Amino acid sequence: MLPPPSTSEVILLLSFILQVGSGMVFLFVSFQKTSSSSFSSSSSPFSSSSSSRLLRLKSQDTTKLQLYMISCVNIVSGIVSYMKFTISISGQDPSWIIYVEWLLCTPAIVVILCLTCSIDPETIFTLAALDVAMIACGYIGHSYSLAVLKYTWFGFGCLLFVLIFLTLFRQKLYMYEKYNHPAYIRHAISSSAGAADGVDGDASHYLATVKSEFKLSSILIWFILCSWTLYPLVWILKEYGILTSSNEDIIYAVLAVVTKIVCGTLLLYYRVFVSSPSTMADAGHPLPPYHSSSWSSSLTSATSSSSLIPPPSPSLSSPSLTTIEMRRSIPVIQL
């Protein structure tokens, strides 16, 4: 007769049920909302603008990608929790499988954070690679029994962790600075409204969109940063014998459930229930990615025309577009 499951095994099973269940709910709601007419058509009077259609397409693609990714992250994390549960009840050591979960899920979460900050694909790939390297350092340190090697690899992983989030915070601030620049505001409004028709865009809508995106990225980055910081703290407490292996498994399972479900709920709330891409795309929401060649080329021609750039205010010296673009040319890893 098999012994009754331990507390950690029960928590792992509950983690599997909650995460897979929430992931399926996220996936269902995301599919229903992104397939509805609000994502495929627009009631905006500016829908005839080619720039408006381009922004709407990027809005839909970015929204769907974020929602589907966070849904899959919850489902994959729940499946890994079930695998850890089955390994544990069989009497084997399941400690290694947590690194499988982190290797599969944390790069996806980093990509989601990058998308909320409109980061270019090269930087997204770099940060995802750094995240994989961070998990690899943790696993290598976990496999060593010698304390010096264990804590050396642990330190490398922590350094990469800090580097990833410093880059995210830097990109987040740059995003807010870039899309609040007068030239970008005037260009986005004129493109969305269809300048050829002589219609003025909605500046307040655009600025509200920028503020909303900045708020979402701030909440997600700070929440993920705080929750992920607990993982190395739990690892240190376990190494010093303050926590047992069972306590470690329980805390990891609870952190996985809270982090991924809350992250998915925030994304679903902001992307589906707060606002609709069909109405926000005309004001530039989600914000056009930096790597958009059409956006970059049209912006270059727009900023070269003095009619799109408001005269400088004598009381406020805003940074020039050239200054911002030069700052953007600096590699983001060179902090």
Side-chain angles (χ1 to χ4, degrees), residues 119-166:
I119 296 178
D120 60 276
E122 292 79 9
T123 306
I124 292 178
F125 178 80
T126 301
L127 292 180
L130 288 178
D131 182 88
V132 172
M134 176 184 70
I135 303 303
C137 288
Y139 178 75
I140 294 173
H142 170 78
S143 61
Y144 279 112
S145 57
L146 187 62
V148 175
L149 294 176
K150 181 186 293 288
Y151 288 107
T152 299
W153 284 104
F154 174 77
F156 286 152
C158 290
L159 181 62
L160 294 175
F161 174 79
V162 172
L163 186 60
I164 290 170
F165 278 91
L166 281 178

Side-chain angles (χ1 to χ4, degrees), residues 156-186:
F156 286 152
C158 290
L159 181 62
L160 294 175
F161 174 79
V162 172
L163 186 60
I164 290 170
F165 278 91
L166 281 178
T167 306
L168 284 172
F169 276 112
R170 178 181 180 274
Q171 290 292 320
K172 178 176 69 71
L173 294 175
Y174 169 73
M175 176 194 76
Y176 192 71
E177 180 186 38
K178 174 178 180 178
Y179 292 113
N180 272 285
H181 191 277
Y184 279 82
I185 296 174
R186 293 292 298 273

Side-chain angles (χ1 to χ4, degrees), residues 107-329:
I109 294 177
V110 169
V111 171
I112 292 173
L113 295 179
C114 290
L115 291 175
T116 61
C117 296
S118 296
I119 296 178
D120 60 276
E122 292 79 9
T123 306
I124 292 178
F125 178 80
T126 301
L127 292 180
L130 288 178
D131 182 88
V132 172
M134 176 184 70
I135 303 303
C137 288
Y139 178 75
I140 294 173
H142 170 78
S143 61
Y144 279 112
S145 57
L146 187 62
V148 175
L149 294 176
K150 181 186 293 288
Y151 288 107
T152 299
W153 284 104
F154 174 77
F156 286 152
C158 290
L159 181 62
L160 294 175
F161 174 79
V162 172
L163 186 60
I164 290 170
F165 278 91
L166 281 178
T167 306
L168 284 172
F169 276 112
R170 178 181 180 274
Q171 290 292 320
K172 178 176 69 71
L173 294 175
Y174 169 73
M175 176 194 76
Y176 192 71
E177 180 186 38
K178 174 178 180 178
Y179 292 113
N180 272 285
H181 191 277
Y184 279 82
I185 296 174
R186 293 292 298 273
H187 171 71
I189 295 172
S190 62
S191 297
S192 299
D197 300 330
V199 184
D200 292 331
D202 189 351
S204 61
H205 193 181
Y206 176 86
L207 293 174
T209 298
V210 174
K211 183 178 180 180
S212 175
E213 286 295 291
F214 186 77
K215 182 179 180 181
L216 173 61
S217 62
S218 298
I219 292 174
L220 286 178
I221 292 176
W222 275 109
F223 174 73
I224 297 298
L225 173 62
C226 294
S227 60
W228 282 10
T229 304
L230 296 176
Y231 284 90
L233 294 178
V234 171
W235 186 86
I236 291 176
L237 293 176
K238 163 65 169 52
E239 290 299 318
Y240 278 94
I242 300 176
L243 295 176
T244 63
S245 298
S246 178
N247 298 143
E248 183 186 35
D249 292 340
I250 293 174
I251 295 175
Y252 282 162
V254 172
L255 284 175
V257 171
V258 173
T259 301
K260 296 174 179 64
I261 292 181
V262 171
C263 185
T265 303
L266 286 171
L267 270 177
L268 201 66
Y269 176 74
Y270 269 88
R271 291 291 185 238
V272 175
F273 297 106
V274 170
S275 48
S276 172
S278 63
T279 58
M280 291 186 299
D282 298 311
H285 177 87
L287 300 177
Y290 298 145
H291 61 278
S292 171
S293 57
S294 300
W295 176 269
S296 301
S297 59
S298 57
L299 177 64
T300 302
S301 60
T303 52
S304 63
S305 172
S306 58
S307 61
L308 289 180
I309 305 178
S313 171
S315 60
L316 179 62
S317 57
S318 59
S320 65
L321 180 66
T322 304
T323 303
I324 293 182
E325 289 301 319
M326 287 177 63
R327 188 179 307 167
R328 179 67 186 90
S329 65

